[in-house]
Amino acid sequence: MANTLNSATISRTQFGDQCPSFHSVIPPPTRRSLPFITVHKGKRVELNRRRALVAVVKAKSSSFEDSESFGVDISLSPRVNAVKPSKTVAISDQATALVEAGVPVIRLAAGEPDFDTPAVIAEAGINAIREGYTRYTPNAGTFELRSAICHKLKEENGITYTPDQIVVSNGAKQSIAQAVLAVCSPGDEVIIPAPFWVSYPEMARLADATPVILPTSISDNFLLDPKLLESKITEKSRVLILCSPSNPTGSVYPKKLLEEIAQIVAKHPRLLVISDEIYEHIIYAPATHTSFASLPGMWDRTLTVNGFSKAFAMTGWRLGYIAGPKHFIAACGKLQSQFTSGASSISQKAAVAALGLGYAGGEAVSTMVKAFRERRDFLVRSFREMDGVKISEPQGAFYLFLDFSSYYGREVDGFGKIENSESLCRYLLDKGQVALVPGSAFGDDTCIRISYAASLTTLQAAVERIKKALIPLISAALV
């Protein structure tokens, strides 16, 4: 059949390109009514070109029916164009596409616990549905949940709020984005220690603010140097974002270091702090968590963000919250009222049950943390045995951020040169069938991130695959 694709031309995107990660290249439609084949997930679907042109025909002006069709302005907002797509999402989607195509990829890219939501929490959600609790809630969240959050923050974090100083959102990501949008003006600076969670700089750009990246060192456990912070604060500095325990490094800020940072922050009336504490319960003794707002003089200028996704294995329930002075929280609520309105009524009932499990999530959370620690210890031992890998042992969260830069510059037959963290992750995906995230996504190109939110058996298999894939790179260094 003329003008028919016998097979799809598949091209692989680079990390960070728009998803899906694999796409079909289909010839453009012509004025002829000829069928063509396109491929979607291995299935051949025959379409008629005339149908493909219907939308174009409808768009034509009646006065120009016999003339050339006019084009559509496909330009996007400069604000959107300034934002980079999430590499963690792109890589996770690419790995998923490979798995669906039959490739046995081990996925260690996403930051998602592999545990099921604790039964008590799940049952609370199910009961909410059965009891008809399926309508809109107040924009800021139910009074019941906000009251429970206030109790949790006072008992566990030593910070006091009232329900009108809490806004519940569709995940902590929304809480942070709204906070940045609420307090930043065009030209303001948002100070972000690197390595950072991938979304922080992009949130700043969405607010027409400028992200100011402060590098840290693996030798300092990726913790911010207070002297560097002090040297970078200007009259434009509006927000400092801290994440402890950290994604992607697992580093935990000791209280003494946070006190030093607080003393610097106190000197600058315009400077606010967004404290991302989503991983607070996933922490390994002797490390302890300190809420920044609990430090002397910091309550008035701190917006504390937390949620239920990580500690309670509730990623799909989409629920987070922000706490802070009423003036700022009301502004966040105003934005939310025009973006999404209130979070899921069902999820909020489940969250009340989660906060009722006991201090720090009780036995349900401690059991998960114990498993995370066992996995961390295995990976730390394994990678310390590998040549050329530098490690900062994580004290919290469920990530390893490993320095593989000694492998850069090496060339492998059939692949090419390993130039940076992105090409190393591509190599490990192609040759080892293990999906990891390049450190460049987090502002440190010397490293790659490994999520150990997977079973110990899976992690053991991943380590063996990585070791095997690295052999040609080790050999290349000897040539």
Side-chain angles (χ1 to χ4, degrees):
M1 183 178 292
N3 204 23
T4 299
L5 284 181
N6 294 322
S7 62
T9 303
I10 303 297
S11 66
R12 176 179 300 173
T13 66
Q14 292 185 346
F15 293 148
D17 287 352
Q18 65 180 1
C19 300
S21 297
F22 295 88
H23 57 276
S24 302
V25 179
I26 301 170
T30 66
R31 295 181 183 275
R32 297 174 61 192
S33 179
L34 292 174
F36 66 92
I37 299 294
T38 183
V39 174
H40 179 63
K41 294 186 178 179
K43 297 179 179 179
R44 295 164 62 88
V45 182
E46 187 168 354
L47 301 175
N48 189 288
R49 287 190 180 280
R50 188 176 300 277
R51 294 179 181 176
L53 290 170
V54 168
V56 175
V57 172
K58 288 183 177 179
K60 291 182 179 180
S61 169
S62 57
S63 60
F64 294 94
E65 288 180 354
D66 296 323
S67 64
E68 294 183 357
S69 63
F70 58 89
V72 176
D73 183 352
I74 61 171
S75 61
L76 300 175
S77 160
R79 182 178 285 106
V80 172
N81 286 331
V83 174
K84 301 174 184 176
S86 170
K87 288 188 178 181
T88 54
V89 172
I91 295 168
S92 296
D93 287 351
Q94 182 174 5
T96 298
L98 285 169
V99 170
E100 290 177 350
V103 181
V105 171
I106 295 178
R107 292 173 281 184
L108 302 180
E112 180 173 39
D114 58 312
F115 300 101
D116 290 333
T117 302
V120 173
I121 301 173
E123 282 298 321
I126 293 169
N127 288 336
I129 297 172
R130 288 173 174 162
E131 295 169 7
Y133 197 77
T134 56
R135 302 185 184 279
Y136 291 135
T137 71
N139 175 62
T142 65
F143 184 82
E144 178 188 30
L145 177 54
R146 286 181 288 134
S147 297
I149 290 170
C150 289
H151 178 76
K152 171 259 186 289
L153 291 173
K154 183 176 182 179
E155 294 298 314
E156 297 182 2
N157 305 85
I159 40 183
T160 302
Y161 299 96
T162 54
D164 60 354
Q165 294 170 325
I166 307 289
V167 168
V168 176
S169 301
N170 299 280
K173 177 181 283 191
Q174 181 179 0
S175 298
I176 298 170
Q178 289 175 170
V180 174
L181 288 168
V183 303
C184 287
S185 300
D188 278 348
E189 294 176 347
V190 177
I191 301 173
I192 306 169
F196 46 73
W197 182 45
V198 294
S199 295
Y200 294 151
E202 308 315 316
M203 290 173 177
R205 293 186 179 99
L206 279 173
D208 289 329
T210 301
V212 176
I213 308 302
L214 304 188
T216 63
S217 170
I218 193 171
S219 61
D220 295 324
N221 295 320
F222 298 113
L223 298 173
L224 177 62
D225 182 350
K227 293 181 180 178
L228 176 62
L229 171 64
E230 190 163 26
S231 70
K232 296 298 182 179
I233 296 176
T234 70
E235 61 182 12
K236 294 182 180 180
S237 301
R238 181 55 171 159
V239 173
L240 165 65
I241 300 182
L242 294 176
C243 181
S244 179
S246 165
N247 176 7
T249 68
S251 299
V252 175
Y253 277 79
K255 184 175 182 179
K256 183 178 180 181
L257 179 55
L258 289 177
E259 289 173 340
E260 292 181 47
I261 293 173
Q263 291 174 2
I264 294 170
V265 171
K267 299 176 184 177
H268 303 275
R270 274 201 89 230
L271 187 59
L272 305 175
V273 175
I274 295 177
S275 183
D276 183 351
E277 303 180 10
I278 189 70
Y279 293 96
E280 67 160 334
H281 291 326
I282 305 174
I283 198 164
Y284 314 117
T288 57
H289 175 70
T290 299
S291 287
F292 197 80
S294 69
L295 301 176
M298 291 299 105
W299 188 95
D300 289 331
R301 62 170 74 221
T302 302
L303 299 172
T304 300
V305 175
N306 211 321
F308 299 86
S309 293
K310 311 301 183 179
F312 297 102
M314 293 176 66
T315 50
W317 297 79
R318 307 311 305 131
L319 207 67
Y321 59 88
I322 187 168
K326 187 175 180 179
H327 172 71
F328 298 124
I329 297 304
C332 294
K334 184 193 299 184
L335 284 172
Q336 181 161 300
S337 72
Q338 299 295 355
F339 283 171
T340 62
S341 297
S344 163
S345 59
I346 300 157
S347 297
Q348 291 186 63
K349 277 293 186 182
V352 172
L355 294 179
L357 290 176
Y359 190 91
E363 184 179 355
V365 172
S366 65
T367 299
M368 289 187 276
V369 173
K370 182 180 179 181
F372 285 135
R373 181 167 193 152
E374 182 182 10
R375 300 166 184 181
R376 178 204 66 168
D377 292 346
F378 164 73
L379 289 178
V380 168
R381 287 195 306 270
S382 299
F383 283 105
R384 278 182 174 158
E385 295 173 355
M386 296 185 192
D387 293 333
V389 180
K390 297 179 183 178
I391 296 178
S392 170
E393 185 173 308
Q395 301 301 304
F398 38 71
Y399 308 105
L400 270 180
F401 203 61
L402 303 173
D403 185 337
F404 272 85
S405 59
S406 66
Y407 288 87
Y408 298 173
R410 304 183 190 185
E411 194 161 352
V412 182
D413 290 341
F415 181 83
K417 183 179 290 187
I418 304 297
E419 298 177 340
N420 47 36
S421 63
E422 186 173 311
S423 57
L424 178 60
C425 285
R426 280 205 311 273
Y427 172 79
L428 292 174
L429 182 59
D430 287 350
K431 305 302 182 182
Q433 296 178 346
V434 179
L436 309 171
V437 187
S440 57
F442 308 99
D444 188 339
D445 196 36
T446 65
C447 298
I448 62 176
R449 191 191 78 172
I450 299 177
S451 169
Y452 49 92
S455 71
L456 188 58
T457 301
T458 299
L459 295 174
Q460 290 168 341
V463 167
E464 290 305 311
R465 291 189 186 187
I466 292 171
K467 283 182 179 179
K468 186 176 180 180
L470 290 177
I471 291 175
L473 295 181
I474 296 172
S475 301
L478 302 176
V479 176

